[in-house]
Amino acid sequence: KQWYQRRVAITAGDRWVHRKMVEALGDTDRNQNFHFRDFKLILSDYLNINLPEKYKDWWQEFSNTSANTMNLKQLQEFFHAFMLETWLLGKVILEGYNYGKHGLSVDQFNKFCKRIQKQEISTEKRTFVMSKRVTGKKVSKKESKVPIRDFYTMLFSRENDIFDIKKSDNMVYSLNYYWINSSHNTYLMGHQLTGASSVEAYIRTLLQGCRCIELDCIDGPNNDPIVWHQNTWCTKIKLFDVLKAINRFAFVTSDYPIILSIENHLCIEQQIVAASMMKHVFKNKLVSIDISPEDPGLPSPDALKKKILVKNKKIQESK
């Protein structure tokens, strides 16, 4: 229990937990107490995870109250402890490593890097990836443990990126010569039929380095296009809000171009509105040249740095 009860920095994940609890309960009071059934509801509705009743014992031990409830801060810590450390790491990534409450031993960490990451790692490299640059704190070369929270942070840091820009291939060839990090139904936070759509999903995807994101554009009320998984119970978000988020976070992790893959269900009038929105939001970042199918190649990634491209079926001139 003491392993779980420690200060947790406010992160995007924490804000997500808070927002989802507010959506589920309709209560914005940060002092609101939550029950185990509320947590199960969040996991079921937004992560498509059905939490077994056996974990109720964990909840009761963690809450340490006669009512078996948690406030928002406790809930955030429990979310990290259960989802990130116990479930995601223990049951998926680090299954079979038998690490202790203080984290991975140096030998276990090196074993993970060699067996799972397929790379040898020196003491200097281990110290670097777990250093202040990654975890926000200093790490001694003599430190005998890699804390689980720091290990998790390292997995999602730039230091663990599969793409090494310093060793990358020449980026001067036609864009279609390259594998492109792409996302499908980018707007969804959870289930494909009943999940929530969120602008935050685009932010998260872009910050993870994705270069091609999908927008399902549907006619919205008052001539205002929306992004929605059509003919499902998923929620809807405004296209304009999505474009603003893309414009802000497009080039945080990479200068290489962003491709907006448009699934276009808009009428002609709202297509014109959507095009105007893109021009207004993206300004000179938007590539507006007409690329003919007869052209022998596309511009290169280097030539398109900090540019946004739109991939969309062209309106027939007869219409």
Side-chain angles (χ1 to χ4, degrees):
K1 182 178 176 183
Q2 291 179 351
W3 173 33
Y4 294 151
Q5 290 184 328
R6 55 180 175 270
R7 182 176 180 83
V8 179
I10 297 297
T11 65
D14 298 326
R15 292 192 294 271
W16 181 86
V17 173
H18 181 214
R19 189 178 71 253
K20 294 310 174 186
M21 294 306 291
V22 169
E23 289 179 7
L25 302 179
D27 194 334
T28 57
D29 184 3
R30 292 187 66 87
N31 296 318
Q32 170 75 24
N33 288 323
F34 305 106
H35 292 84
F36 180 69
R37 63 177 178 270
D38 302 323
F39 185 64
K40 286 189 64 176
L41 178 66
I42 291 298
L43 296 183
S44 175
D45 287 357
Y46 296 101
L47 292 178
N48 199 28
I49 294 175
N50 293 317
L51 187 64
E53 282 293 321
K54 66 180 181 180
Y55 291 106
K56 192 172 183 178
D57 293 338
W58 290 17
W59 179 278
Q60 292 172 346
E61 180 184 6
F62 196 90
S63 64
N64 196 28
T65 64
S66 58
N68 290 327
T69 60
M70 297 187 200
N71 59 30
L72 178 62
K73 181 179 178 181
Q74 289 175 313
L75 183 71
Q76 290 168 343
E77 292 179 352
F78 183 75
F79 179 82
H80 279 286
F82 171 73
M83 290 300 299
L84 305 186
E85 297 171 5
T86 304
W87 185 79
L88 178 60
L89 292 181
K91 301 298 183 184
V92 181
I93 299 175
L94 292 177
E95 184 177 11
Y97 279 78
N98 297 319
Y99 56 88
K101 65 179 182 179
H102 297 298
L104 290 167
S105 68
V106 173
D107 287 342
Q108 287 175 320
F109 181 74
N110 291 339
K111 178 182 177 182
F112 173 83
C113 292
K114 185 175 182 178
R115 292 181 58 185
I116 306 301
Q117 304 287 76
K118 308 299 182 185
Q119 61 179 352
E120 298 287 348
I121 188 166
S122 64
T123 301
E124 290 71 21
K125 177 65 174 177
R126 177 181 65 83
T127 304
F128 174 73
V129 297
M130 306 308 300
S131 69
K132 188 173 182 180
R133 178 173 176 181
V134 177
T135 65
K137 62 185 181 182
K138 295 181 179 179
V139 177
S140 169
K141 289 185 179 181
K142 297 181 180 180
E143 191 164 338
S144 60
K145 295 290 182 179
V146 178
I148 293 298
R149 176 60 57 78
D150 294 350
F151 176 76
Y152 175 81
T153 302
M154 183 275 292
L155 288 181
F156 290 91
S157 72
R158 292 188 181 183
E159 309 309 324
N160 196 46
D161 199 325
I162 193 172
F163 181 71
D164 188 347
I165 189 65
K166 295 179 181 178
K167 299 180 181 179
S168 65
D169 293 328
N170 198 328
M171 305 295 279
V172 298
Y173 299 105
S174 177
L175 184 65
N176 58 304
Y177 282 22
Y178 301 89
W179 293 104
I180 300 175
N181 187 347
S182 303
S183 169
H184 176 62
N185 289 347
T186 313
Y187 45 88
L188 290 179
M189 297 290 287
H191 199 282
Q192 296 284 303
L193 298 179
T194 61
S197 302
S198 173
V199 171
E200 187 171 323
Y202 284 95
I203 297 173
R204 179 188 62 189
T205 302
L206 289 169
L207 292 180
Q208 290 175 343
C210 192
R211 298 289 89 191
C212 179
I213 55 181
E214 185 178 27
L215 294 83
D216 288 12
C217 297
I218 313 293
D219 289 338
N222 303 315
N223 209 32
D224 191 4
I226 59 173
V227 173
W228 176 44
H229 201 195
Q230 195 176 33
N231 300 321
T232 69
W233 291 276
C234 296
T235 57
K236 307 170 184 178
I237 49 179
K238 290 186 176 183
L239 174 63
F240 188 68
D241 293 339
V242 172
L243 298 179
K244 289 192 295 183
I246 293 171
N247 185 61
R248 180 178 178 184
F249 292 95
F251 304 108
V252 173
T253 60
S254 172
D255 287 342
Y256 286 116
I258 290 290
I259 300 171
L260 307 186
S261 180
I262 308 295
E263 185 173 311
N264 192 347
H265 299 280
L266 297 171
C267 65
I268 299 299
E269 291 74 15
Q270 293 210 24
Q271 288 189 52
I272 295 173
V273 172
S276 297
M277 287 180 176
M278 293 179 187
K279 290 179 180 178
H280 172 73
V281 174
F282 299 144
K283 296 183 172 59
N284 61 352
K285 297 176 187 174
L286 184 65
V287 175
S288 57
I289 60 173
D290 188 14
I291 300 175
S292 171
E294 286 74 34
D295 288 345
L298 300 172
S300 70
D302 273 347
L304 292 169
K305 280 187 175 180
K306 293 198 173 181
K307 293 293 184 180
I308 298 175
L309 298 90
V310 176
K311 180 165 69 75
N312 174 56
K313 287 186 177 180
K314 194 172 183 180
I315 301 174
Q316 296 181 14
E317 292 183 5
S318 59
K319 296 183 178 181

